[in-house]
Amino acid sequence: MMTFHYKNFHRQGGEPQPTPLIPITLKGPNRTGTFEGLLDSGADTICIPSHIAEFLGVESSREIDTVGIGGALKAKTCAMTVIFPTPHHIFRWDV
């Protein structure tokens, strides 16, 4: 079993809410960075802000419609490696 600690996170236009933020490493073609990510066990996609995509040097392949905790939005797809460490394993996905 994994345990995740909750931190107060300011969401756009709202009060801080306890949120499961976890450290993740994102690897793009130009750079690698470690960030705090929102753990959403029911999500079908991984979303990152455009400034992080630019930092990593990822290229967008197409635009799609998606829905998240902030509502509906347009998103761009890209390819990168996501690394998620746990106390006993390191999980790696190429997305």
Side-chain angles (χ1 to χ4, degrees):
M1 176 194 318
M2 290 185 198
T3 302
F4 300 99
H5 300 283
Y6 281 61
K7 297 179 181 179
N8 282 330
F9 180 73
H10 289 270
R11 295 209 172 115
Q12 198 171 29
E15 294 293 317
Q17 296 179 354
T19 305
L21 296 174
I22 59 169
I24 60 168
T25 299
L26 303 175
K27 183 178 181 184
N30 298 343
R31 292 187 178 147
T32 298
T34 300
F35 308 91
E36 282 192 320
L38 170 64
L39 177 65
D40 183 352
S41 61
D44 293 327
T45 58
I46 296 171
C47 298
I48 62 169
S50 59
H51 70 275
I52 292 177
E54 290 170 13
F55 170 80
L56 298 171
V58 296
E59 297 283 329
S60 172
S61 57
R62 64 187 171 97
E63 189 172 86
I64 61 170
D65 294 315
T66 190
V67 178
I69 61 172
L73 57 98
K74 298 263 185 212
K76 294 181 179 179
T77 63
C78 63
M80 72 176 63
T81 300
V82 178
I83 302 166
F84 169 63
T86 69
H88 305 289
H89 297 87
I90 294 178
F91 297 96
R92 178 185 298 258
W93 296 272
D94 292 317
V95 296

